[in-house]
Amino acid sequence: MTSNRAPTAPDAAVHDAAVHDAVVLAGGAARRLGGADKPAVRVGGRPLLDRVLAACAEARTTVVVAASRPTARPVTWAREDPPGAGPLAALDAGLRHTSAEHVVVLSADLPFLDEGTVRRLRAALDAGGADGALLTDADGRDQPLVAVYRAAALRRELTALTAAHGSLTGLPLRRLTGALHLIRVPDPVASFDCDTWDDIATARARIREHGHVLDEWISAVKDELGIDLDVDTGVLLDLARDAAHGVARPAAPLTTFLVGYAAARAEGGPEAVAEAARKAAALAQRWADEETAAGADARPDAG
């Protein structure tokens, strides 16, 4: 899903700590991937770009700096001038479409980033007087493209760099971050980025590990179906187990489908799913109780 809606004017910014925008830089050359279209490379069945967009779903405005393409979530498109002018030029182009006090800045190659990590970064920034908060990787290195910044600080330093160098073309990110007071948040998983095909292979393998595969699959299905609903998957799994054991194995998927359908008919959210699951689980328990009672009645010494 794409959008070319006009940005909110900067002077109309809402200075609310809960409001933030996001800028995703997705126009790199991906030389270490042989020039492949890195944002479109799939991990867990989803393009890397869509995975990152899901992580910043709480942003009021999300700007992607790259050539436009279909995306799972609505975004505003921007482009640095000239294209390929580097990360600072791309960041500057993206910021021109934002108006919030805080801006989440991300690269488009972060397969394990999620909304919780973005919230942690925002909480770290809100708790102090710094210009930004960024993740550090497993080796303790700064990851300035997994960060949240005060927009005013970014604009101030970008303006200064433009004045000093004539343009932002080709300037490295450290020219910007070196002038900022930053809070560092260690996270070796969420900071993992995919620069090489080996990195892609590592990411694809990790999401299939036992502790991750179910959450990854549910997230992928929700994105594919356009569902933005957080439910307690444990409740649904318990229901599937009860239906399978108390009724018949094929009852498990059919029952969970009917629970979802009932919640949708009720036009409800997570609470409607939980209530429908509770009713279905109670029914499955009654079935199981009847089977147990029937078995007891059939014993030779019954009665």
Side-chain angles (χ1 to χ4, degrees), residues 40-244:
V41 172
R42 294 180 182 274
V43 173
R46 290 188 290 166
L48 283 169
L49 176 56
D50 280 343
R51 297 179 71 90
V52 172
L53 293 179
C56 55
E58 293 179 350
R60 181 177 61 188
T61 297
T62 298
V63 184
V64 180
V65 186
S68 62
R69 66 182 66 211
T71 54
R73 294 176 181 269
V75 303
T76 296
W77 295 97
R79 202 72 169 110
E80 71 274 26
D81 185 19
L88 288 188
L91 177 57
D92 183 63
L95 280 175
R96 295 176 187 274
H97 295 264
T98 68
S99 58
E101 181 179 350
H102 293 167
V103 179
V104 175
V105 178
L106 305 168
S107 61
D109 61 352
L110 301 163
F112 305 127
L113 185 70
D114 58 24
E115 288 180 275
T117 303
V118 172
R119 293 188 195 112
R120 282 199 297 123
L121 284 168
R122 297 207 58 242
L125 180 58
D126 290 341
D131 296 318
L134 53 74
L135 292 191
T136 57
D137 65 16
D139 296 319
R141 293 173 299 196
D142 288 353
Q143 299 298 313
L145 296 183
V146 200
V148 58
Y149 299 96
R150 298 188 191 278
L154 292 180
R155 292 191 174 98
R156 179 191 71 227
E157 297 305 326
L158 288 170
T159 298
L161 286 168
T162 301
H165 298 275
S167 80
L168 298 171
T169 299
L171 294 181
L173 270 172
R174 63 177 177 274
R175 292 290 184 91
L176 172 69
T177 56
L180 299 175
H181 174 210
L182 301 174
I183 296 169
R184 283 148 178 94
V185 179
D187 193 327
V189 176
S191 63
F192 181 88
D193 56 1
C194 292
D195 290 329
T196 68
W197 287 113
D198 283 345
D199 294 336
I200 296 291
T202 297
R204 287 171 171 169
R206 186 180 187 277
I207 66 169
R208 286 171 170 77
E209 293 175 358
H210 176 70
H212 307 285
V213 66
L214 186 58
D215 287 341
E216 287 286 349
W217 172 247
I218 295 300
S219 295
V221 171
K222 290 198 297 185
D223 263 13
E224 191 73 14
L225 300 181
I227 298 171
D228 190 12
L229 178 67
D230 290 326
V231 298
D232 187 342
T233 55
V235 168
L236 295 178
L237 289 173
D238 288 345
L239 169 61
R241 179 202 62 209
D242 293 343

Side-chain angles (χ1 to χ4, degrees), residues 225-299:
L225 300 181
I227 298 171
D228 190 12
L229 178 67
D230 290 326
V231 298
D232 187 342
T233 55
V235 168
L236 295 178
L237 289 173
D238 288 345
L239 169 61
R241 179 202 62 209
D242 293 343
H245 291 172
V247 184
R249 188 172 298 277
L254 293 173
T255 304
T256 51
F257 163 77
L258 290 171
V259 163
Y261 183 75
R265 285 283 301 273
E267 298 183 355
E271 298 82 4
V273 176
E275 176 62 12
R278 183 193 64 77
K279 291 180 177 179
L283 176 60
Q285 184 61 53
R286 293 198 296 272
W287 274 62
D289 291 344
E290 287 178 12
E291 184 178 11
T292 301
D297 291 342
R299 290 199 303 267

